[in-house]
Amino acid sequence: MVDLKNIKTILATDCGSTTTKAILIECINGEYRLTFRGEAPTTVEAPFEDVTRGVLNSIIELEELSGKKILDGEKFINTSSENTDGIDIYISTSSAGGGLQMMVGGVVRSMTGESAQRAALGAGAIVMDILASNDGRLYHEKVKRIRELRPDMVLLSGGVDGGTVSHVVELAEIIKTANPKPRLGMNYKLPVIYAGNNKAQENVQDVIGDISDLLVVPNIRPTLEEENLKPSRDKIHDLFMEHVMAQAPGYNKLMEWTDFPIMPTPGAVGEIIKKISEVENISVVGVDIGGATTDVFSVFNGEFNRTVSANLGMSYSICNVLSEAGVSNVSRWVPFKIESLKLTNRIANKMIRPTTIPQSLEDLKIEQALAREALKLSFIQHKEFAVSLKGVQQERTISDTFDQKMSGETIVNMKELDLIVGSGGVLSHAPRRSQAMRMLIDSFLPEGITQIAVDSIFMMPQLGVLSTFHEKAALEVFHKDCLIKLGSCVAPLGQYKINQDLLQYEISTDEKKYKGHLKYGELLLLPISSGKYSCVIKPNRNVDIGFGKGNDFIGEIYGGEVGIVLDGRGREIYFSADENERINQILEWSHQTNEYNKEEINV
Amino acid sequence: MSKSYTPGLKVVRDAKVSKERRLPLKGNVHVNIDDIVSSDTIIASTEIPGNVQMINIANQLNIDPNQIENCMLVKINDNVEKNQLIAQSKGLFGMFKTDVKSPIDGKIINVSNITGQVVVSEHPIPINVDAYIPGKVKDVYNNEGILIDSIGTFVQGIIGIGGEKQGKMHVLVDNPSDKVKISSITNSLKDKIVVCGSYIDLEIYKKAKSIGVKGIVCGGIDYNVISEILGYSLGVAITGTEDTTTLILTEGFGNINMALKTFNILKENNNKDVSINGATQIRAGVLRPEIFIKSDGSGESKDFKENDLVISIGSIVRVIREPYFGKIGKISSLPYELDQMESETKVRVAEVKFEDSTKKIIPRANLEVILSS
């Protein structure tokens, strides 16, 4: 094990499904900073079929940019006192090879089934299906489904401790009957983690002990009121390394190279989101929009949730975004006229050549239109999933008569949300930061006052894995080099009449006082740089900016690289039904927020 | 130097092609190393478990699950016939017995004294795997499949639908920019694999399918047409299991001409036996649709190496994204510095000299090396 005190140079890679990103973190004057970054296409596919080719290429790019030698052939050079070349430690995350694909099972779909899903998602897996005693499918349909999906791993839960045994055993019997073969490699037994009723452990062992590699962990839902996800998540991480990664092309070699276990990319991003919320004591929503999937993370009142929208992404699954959102919802964000046939063909061509990038402004605008819809759909899915535990008995007093909350309600409260962090190519690499800010606002529809930030160059996965053993280095880099605070969004809730006065604002910076009115339908940008500024917002009496109708906000607000956006477009955003008017609307919003070059806005 | 790889598609003569043919589950391999196989030789077979039916015996006999073994008339692994008595209650004084009969022909695979359920499986379904391409058996994977080596023309498409097909290839047009007429799709094309040059529409596809054409190779098709053929929107490009006439696009979606080199190489093989597969998986472990035509082996076989996919000065490339989508040119310079595009994106670029001698700066990521011979 490496001594943390001696770590001065850290090399970290993230092997994504499209590109492999390498970053170099160095300790300069006692402070850890990101110094260089390189990237190269991921090489899990033919003709290379070896993930380490892409890793080496991304490192070679780092070497070229930094002028520092890291590799001696295919071996890392270790730092030494007489040589400034080399590294002290190498770590990696991975989502290549399709990530970790799991099936989960529980007796009641909305209770133990969802708890199992939460555990799997939290560990960074894609949940292919939830098997439940009450999911409405017949026995043979479930068997067929398991056989077809061939998951990498199964997490079986069900029943509270001391609860139902027969239903849990029935699920085990279904797995036994299906006897699924793992997706990768024919010669090893399917790993099954049992995290259900402790009284059924022996029975489950009897049923599937022979046909699977069964591992028993403490119950995921020991009582209805309690969820215990950690043992299952930890076991999933272990098995991910031992089974799944070991089968993917080139990973055996990569595993030998790394000094700490390789983490699934989404699991690592989740780690860093949790850290931000914990250190700053705020509620956070994070999103990582990738080529194939979009992950959404949230922490509200200390409760962490992650969802993965497996087929909402910007390249491999871009057509699925089109299909789920509908052509009209995508094209409403496009500020020019384009035939639907031409639009769909262009988008489909991105799907089949996923590594291409938009060269023309027109193409960029189409991609950013799609990103808005992909983010929006993913966030809707997240809100539906991030709910309080279902099935919990609520104790109510007379004071709750008019404010009764059901179990199973979403815990994502937009008015309480303090910070949205965006990550992933389309956000981190947007040519202008204002574009990233607009995409996040247009899709997440923050209410009240919310800070917006992006991962500068998409390094949250690497920092996530770093945070598991070197929190200081991870947080220093995160605050200084990773997180770019774009500013804040002030958005009244609800819908009003066009041009109706919504609020008055007054924000004072050292140089200038920003003062004015916001009308319904308007989008304004105040170019206020990073820092905290005193602010007074006085909404009209029927307008709510998150503190109740007509209630003022007097306090501090954050500026940022983009500034403070005053969003009077309503929640949901109002679009004109007339195409020409809609285009003008979008062009005006773009103009106001400095989204594109002024002369190019009319492309 | 760092290397820029591109997702080059192979369009090659006398290529050495190795194909793994694997069973979905372990079974029997019927050929040996060095055997010569034709595309339709069955090289391995296995059986996949039949569909299952679950019978809740405890409920039907109104007994506790832990009592069902006393009432079972058959054991695990016993074969049963439809309507065969498989369980019976003890009744009252030997009378009023309740019977449970098997709903299907099959085998008892589980009797659970915890859930009180019995699972009967239908007879296994046989699966045969053919060689798909003619060639020589290079390796045998015990009980799993084989590796076949062959030499021939190998053309990859960009996306396809439908699975493996074999048949005689028939080129329907004279030029890669020609569009095939509906009147050219005649009954004589039944069981053939047809090459259609440029773009086809839904009407042509439907007619070809109704005639019994096994496969179609063309430059492009509208995305919406693919959705209509499939009956659903193609959200992610994972295909190959569709039970339809196999379709392979060589260029992409839209009205696009087939690349001249691809067209010429296919035309050279007119009326030859071909193996095609529309299966595509554009995700990790990319799989592109393919066309293979075995050669007589007199040419010199070629292998492509990692470096063949590296863009270098002089590489022949095709632009694979707007605004120069489909144009072919030669790399004239590879600037080291990042360059700003019209979209304001800063990227690594290449200077490409097109066939009309104009030069344009294109992001390297938007280029595809043309691997050909």
Side-chain angles (χ1 to χ4, degrees), chain A residues 510-539:
Chain A
D510 292 343
E511 301 85 36
K512 197 175 167 185
K513 191 175 268 185
Y514 294 86
K515 203 174 168 183
H517 289 251
L518 177 71
K519 288 180 177 162
Y520 184 63
E522 271 184 343
L523 187 67
L524 303 177
L525 171 67
L526 312 178
I528 298 174
S529 60
S530 291
K532 229 188 219 183
Y533 306 96
S534 67
C535 164
V536 178
I537 298 172
K538 290 178 184 289

Short mmCIF file of all heavy atoms in Angstrom, two decimals, chain A residues 510-539:
data_model
loop_
_atom_site.label_atom_id
_atom_site.label_comp_id
_atom_site.label_asym_id
_atom_site.label_seq_id
_atom_site.Cartn_x
_atom_site.Cartn_y
_atom_site.Cartn_z
N ASP A 510 -19.46 45.07 -6.08
CA ASP A 510 -18.55 46.17 -5.73
C ASP A 510 -18.59 47.26 -6.80
O ASP A 510 -18.50 48.44 -6.50
CB ASP A 510 -17.11 45.64 -5.60
CG ASP A 510 -17.01 44.73 -4.38
OD1 ASP A 510 -17.93 44.80 -3.54
OD2 ASP A 510 -16.05 43.95 -4.31
N GLU A 511 -18.73 46.83 -8.06
CA GLU A 511 -18.65 47.80 -9.15
C GLU A 511 -20.00 48.41 -9.53
O GLU A 511 -20.07 49.52 -10.01
CB GLU A 511 -18.09 47.15 -10.43
CG GLU A 511 -16.70 46.54 -10.32
CD GLU A 511 -16.74 45.12 -9.80
OE1 GLU A 511 -17.68 44.38 -10.14
OE2 GLU A 511 -15.83 44.75 -9.02
N LYS A 512 -21.03 47.64 -9.36
CA LYS A 512 -22.29 48.05 -9.98
C LYS A 512 -23.50 47.55 -9.21
O LYS A 512 -23.43 46.54 -8.51
CB LYS A 512 -22.32 47.44 -11.40
CG LYS A 512 -23.32 48.04 -12.34
CD LYS A 512 -23.15 47.42 -13.74
CE LYS A 512 -24.35 47.78 -14.57
NZ LYS A 512 -24.33 47.15 -15.88
N LYS A 513 -24.59 48.31 -9.36
CA LYS A 513 -25.85 47.84 -8.78
C LYS A 513 -26.76 47.43 -9.94
O LYS A 513 -27.00 48.21 -10.87
CB LYS A 513 -26.49 48.97 -7.99
CG LYS A 513 -27.65 48.53 -7.14
CD LYS A 513 -28.19 49.64 -6.29
CE LYS A 513 -27.52 49.65 -4.92
NZ LYS A 513 -28.10 50.63 -4.01
N TYR A 514 -27.20 46.15 -9.92
CA TYR A 514 -28.12 45.67 -10.96
C TYR A 514 -29.53 45.77 -10.42
O TYR A 514 -29.84 45.21 -9.37
CB TYR A 514 -27.80 44.23 -11.32
CG TYR A 514 -26.46 44.03 -11.99
CD1 TYR A 514 -25.30 43.87 -11.23
CD2 TYR A 514 -26.36 44.03 -13.38
CE1 TYR A 514 -24.07 43.69 -11.83
CE2 TYR A 514 -25.13 43.85 -13.98
CZ TYR A 514 -23.99 43.69 -13.21
OH TYR A 514 -22.78 43.51 -13.82
N LYS A 515 -30.38 46.51 -11.15
CA LYS A 515 -31.72 46.78 -10.64
C LYS A 515 -32.71 46.71 -11.79
O LYS A 515 -32.39 47.18 -12.90
CB LYS A 515 -31.71 48.20 -10.06
CG LYS A 515 -32.74 48.49 -9.06
CD LYS A 515 -32.51 49.86 -8.47
CE LYS A 515 -33.75 50.25 -7.67
NZ LYS A 515 -33.65 51.59 -7.14
N GLY A 516 -33.84 46.13 -11.60
CA GLY A 516 -34.81 46.12 -12.70
C GLY A 516 -36.00 45.24 -12.41
O GLY A 516 -36.22 44.80 -11.28
N HIS A 517 -36.78 45.00 -13.49
CA HIS A 517 -38.00 44.18 -13.40
C HIS A 517 -37.86 42.96 -14.30
O HIS A 517 -37.18 43.03 -15.32
CB HIS A 517 -39.21 44.98 -13.91
CG HIS A 517 -39.61 46.08 -12.99
ND1 HIS A 517 -40.74 46.04 -12.24
CD2 HIS A 517 -39.00 47.26 -12.71
CE1 HIS A 517 -40.83 47.15 -11.52
NE2 HIS A 517 -39.77 47.92 -11.80
N LEU A 518 -38.52 41.89 -13.92
CA LEU A 518 -38.58 40.71 -14.79
C LEU A 518 -40.04 40.46 -15.16
O LEU A 518 -40.91 40.45 -14.29
CB LEU A 518 -38.03 39.47 -14.05
CG LEU A 518 -38.10 38.16 -14.83
CD1 LEU A 518 -37.11 38.13 -15.98
CD2 LEU A 518 -37.84 36.96 -13.90
N LYS A 519 -40.25 40.30 -16.48
CA LYS A 519 -41.62 40.06 -16.94
C LYS A 519 -41.79 38.59 -17.33
O LYS A 519 -40.81 37.93 -17.67
CB LYS A 519 -41.91 40.94 -18.15
CG LYS A 519 -42.06 42.40 -17.79
CD LYS A 519 -42.34 43.20 -19.04
CE LYS A 519 -42.57 44.65 -18.64
NZ LYS A 519 -42.42 45.54 -19.76
N TYR A 520 -43.06 38.15 -17.35
CA TYR A 520 -43.32 36.76 -17.74
C TYR A 520 -42.94 36.57 -19.21
O TYR A 520 -43.28 37.38 -20.07
CB TYR A 520 -44.80 36.42 -17.53
CG TYR A 520 -45.11 34.98 -17.85
CD1 TYR A 520 -44.52 33.95 -17.10
CD2 TYR A 520 -45.97 34.62 -18.86
CE1 TYR A 520 -44.77 32.62 -17.39
CE2 TYR A 520 -46.25 33.29 -19.16
CZ TYR A 520 -45.64 32.30 -18.42
OH TYR A 520 -45.89 30.98 -18.70
N GLY A 521 -42.21 35.50 -19.49
CA GLY A 521 -41.76 35.21 -20.86
C GLY A 521 -40.32 35.64 -21.09
O GLY A 521 -39.71 35.25 -22.08
N GLU A 522 -39.78 36.47 -20.17
CA GLU A 522 -38.41 36.99 -20.35
C GLU A 522 -37.36 36.07 -19.76
O GLU A 522 -37.61 35.35 -18.78
CB GLU A 522 -38.28 38.33 -19.62
CG GLU A 522 -38.65 39.51 -20.45
CD GLU A 522 -38.40 40.82 -19.68
OE1 GLU A 522 -38.25 40.81 -18.43
OE2 GLU A 522 -38.36 41.85 -20.34
N LEU A 523 -36.18 36.14 -20.34
CA LEU A 523 -35.02 35.47 -19.76
C LEU A 523 -33.89 36.50 -19.77
O LEU A 523 -33.54 37.02 -20.83
CB LEU A 523 -34.63 34.27 -20.63
CG LEU A 523 -33.55 33.35 -20.09
CD1 LEU A 523 -34.02 32.62 -18.85
CD2 LEU A 523 -33.17 32.31 -21.15
N LEU A 524 -33.38 36.84 -18.59
CA LEU A 524 -32.35 37.88 -18.51
C LEU A 524 -31.08 37.30 -17.90
O LEU A 524 -31.14 36.43 -17.03
CB LEU A 524 -32.83 39.05 -17.63
CG LEU A 524 -34.12 39.75 -18.03
CD1 LEU A 524 -34.48 40.82 -17.00
CD2 LEU A 524 -33.99 40.38 -19.42
N LEU A 525 -29.95 37.82 -18.36
CA LEU A 525 -28.67 37.42 -17.75
C LEU A 525 -27.99 38.65 -17.19
O LEU A 525 -27.76 39.63 -17.90
CB LEU A 525 -27.78 36.76 -18.81
CG LEU A 525 -26.34 36.48 -18.36
CD1 LEU A 525 -26.29 35.43 -17.26
CD2 LEU A 525 -25.47 36.03 -19.53
N LEU A 526 -27.66 38.59 -15.89
CA LEU A 526 -26.87 39.65 -15.28
C LEU A 526 -25.44 39.14 -15.20
O LEU A 526 -25.19 38.15 -14.49
CB LEU A 526 -27.40 39.99 -13.88
CG LEU A 526 -28.93 40.20 -13.77
CD1 LEU A 526 -29.33 40.46 -12.32
CD2 LEU A 526 -29.37 41.36 -14.66
N PRO A 527 -24.50 39.75 -15.92
CA PRO A 527 -23.14 39.20 -15.97
C PRO A 527 -22.36 39.46 -14.69
O PRO A 527 -21.45 40.30 -14.65
CB PRO A 527 -22.53 39.92 -17.18
CG PRO A 527 -23.28 41.19 -17.28
CD PRO A 527 -24.64 40.98 -16.71
N ILE A 528 -22.73 38.76 -13.64
CA ILE A 528 -22.12 38.97 -12.32
C ILE A 528 -21.16 37.81 -12.04
O ILE A 528 -21.57 36.65 -12.00
CB ILE A 528 -23.22 39.06 -11.23
CG1 ILE A 528 -24.11 40.27 -11.53
CG2 ILE A 528 -22.61 39.15 -9.86
CD1 ILE A 528 -25.31 40.40 -10.63
N SER A 529 -19.90 38.15 -11.86
CA SER A 529 -18.88 37.11 -11.74
C SER A 529 -18.92 36.41 -10.38
O SER A 529 -19.69 36.80 -9.49
CB SER A 529 -17.50 37.71 -11.99
OG SER A 529 -17.28 38.71 -11.03
N SER A 530 -18.06 35.39 -10.23
CA SER A 530 -18.08 34.56 -9.02
C SER A 530 -17.99 35.40 -7.75
O SER A 530 -17.28 36.40 -7.69
CB SER A 530 -16.90 33.60 -9.04
OG SER A 530 -17.10 32.66 -10.05
N GLY A 531 -18.70 34.98 -6.75
CA GLY A 531 -18.71 35.68 -5.47
C GLY A 531 -20.11 35.69 -4.90
O GLY A 531 -21.06 35.24 -5.56
N LYS A 532 -20.21 36.21 -3.68
CA LYS A 532 -21.50 36.26 -2.99
C LYS A 532 -21.92 37.72 -2.94
O LYS A 532 -21.10 38.57 -2.55
CB LYS A 532 -21.26 35.76 -1.57
CG LYS A 532 -22.21 34.71 -1.07
CD LYS A 532 -21.92 34.53 0.39
CE LYS A 532 -21.98 33.12 0.85
NZ LYS A 532 -21.77 32.98 2.28
N TYR A 533 -23.15 38.01 -3.32
CA TYR A 533 -23.56 39.41 -3.38
C TYR A 533 -24.90 39.59 -2.67
O TYR A 533 -25.74 38.70 -2.68
CB TYR A 533 -23.69 39.85 -4.84
CG TYR A 533 -22.43 39.59 -5.63
CD1 TYR A 533 -22.29 38.44 -6.40
CD2 TYR A 533 -21.37 40.49 -5.57
CE1 TYR A 533 -21.12 38.19 -7.10
CE2 TYR A 533 -20.20 40.25 -6.27
CZ TYR A 533 -20.07 39.09 -7.03
OH TYR A 533 -18.91 38.84 -7.70
N SER A 534 -25.06 40.82 -2.12
CA SER A 534 -26.34 41.05 -1.45
C SER A 534 -27.43 41.27 -2.50
O SER A 534 -27.19 41.88 -3.54
CB SER A 534 -26.23 42.24 -0.50
OG SER A 534 -26.05 43.41 -1.23
N CYS A 535 -28.59 40.78 -2.17
CA CYS A 535 -29.64 40.70 -3.19
C CYS A 535 -31.02 40.90 -2.55
O CYS A 535 -31.29 40.39 -1.46
CB CYS A 535 -29.54 39.32 -3.83
SG CYS A 535 -30.94 38.81 -4.78
N VAL A 536 -31.85 41.66 -3.24
CA VAL A 536 -33.24 41.81 -2.79
C VAL A 536 -34.13 41.47 -3.99
O VAL A 536 -33.96 42.04 -5.07
CB VAL A 536 -33.54 43.25 -2.31
CG1 VAL A 536 -35.00 43.38 -1.89
CG2 VAL A 536 -32.61 43.64 -1.17
N ILE A 537 -35.02 40.53 -3.78
CA ILE A 537 -35.98 40.20 -4.84
C ILE A 537 -37.37 40.35 -4.27
O ILE A 537 -37.71 39.74 -3.25
CB ILE A 537 -35.76 38.77 -5.38
CG1 ILE A 537 -34.36 38.66 -6.00
CG2 ILE A 537 -36.82 38.42 -6.42
CD1 ILE A 537 -33.96 37.27 -6.39
N LYS A 538 -38.14 41.21 -4.92
CA LYS A 538 -39.51 41.46 -4.43
C LYS A 538 -40.50 40.96 -5.49
O LYS A 538 -40.73 41.63 -6.50
CB LYS A 538 -39.72 42.96 -4.22
CG LYS A 538 -38.96 43.54 -3.03
CD LYS A 538 -39.23 45.05 -2.95
CE LYS A 538 -38.43 45.71 -1.86
NZ LYS A 538 -38.87 45.40 -0.51
N PRO A 539 -41.06 39.78 -5.29
CA PRO A 539 -42.04 39.29 -6.27
C PRO A 539 -43.39 40.02 -6.11
O PRO A 539 -43.68 40.52 -5.02
CB PRO A 539 -42.19 37.81 -5.91
CG PRO A 539 -41.80 37.72 -4.48
CD PRO A 539 -40.85 38.84 -4.18
#
